[in-house]
Amino acid sequence: MGDTSQLVSFLDAAVSHAIVLTDEDWQITHVNQAALALFSQVSADITGKPFVELINPADPVAVLGTDMLLSPTATEFSTNVSLQRGNEEIFVATITTKRLDTAEWGAHYAL
């Protein structure tokens, strides 16, 4: 399972949790079906956007920047974040950020 499309297909089939993959600049590269449903979005509308656009603008992560989701030396970090659906509904979720091996998965972070 070397490329990202295989990973996303696996995640869609194997988990019901929302999964968002981003590059090193926190631009969304892939999302699974659970994430699309959670954020009331379609893949074409969400892919390529900054991850911060899914965060409530008043949340500290949106104010201080997404780099606070994972320090340069950490491989995993969990925190509560106020997120925003496509219809502007705000909800709080615990997200876990994991650093991925970009050579293997073609993505930098999984949330």
Side-chain angles (χ1 to χ4, degrees):
M1 186 185 321
D3 72 46
T4 309
S5 62
Q6 288 178 325
L7 173 63
V8 173
S9 295
F10 171 76
L11 293 173
D12 277 341
V15 300
S16 60
H17 295 332
I19 305 291
V20 177
L21 300 179
T22 72
D23 63 15
E24 64 276 359
D25 296 320
W26 298 95
Q27 301 294 314
I28 298 169
T29 58
H30 292 82
V31 293
N32 70 352
Q33 290 301 315
L36 293 174
L38 179 68
F39 292 108
S40 303
Q41 300 274 345
V42 294
S43 184
D45 291 341
I46 199 170
T47 303
K49 289 188 174 183
F51 178 73
V52 73
E53 288 189 16
L54 300 178
I55 300 171
N56 176 350
D59 189 273
V61 172
V63 174
L64 300 174
T66 48
D67 287 341
M68 70 181 293
L69 290 175
L70 194 63
S71 72
T73 58
T75 58
E76 184 174 319
F77 179 73
S78 293
T79 190
N80 290 332
V81 177
S82 297
L83 300 171
Q84 195 164 307
R85 287 193 175 91
N87 62 5
E88 305 298 319
E89 178 185 354
I90 296 169
F91 62 101
V92 176
T94 299
I95 64 169
T96 299
T97 307
K98 293 188 179 200
R99 191 176 312 280
L100 300 178
D101 176 358
T102 58
E104 183 177 356
W105 298 116
H108 201 72
Y109 303 113
L111 301 108

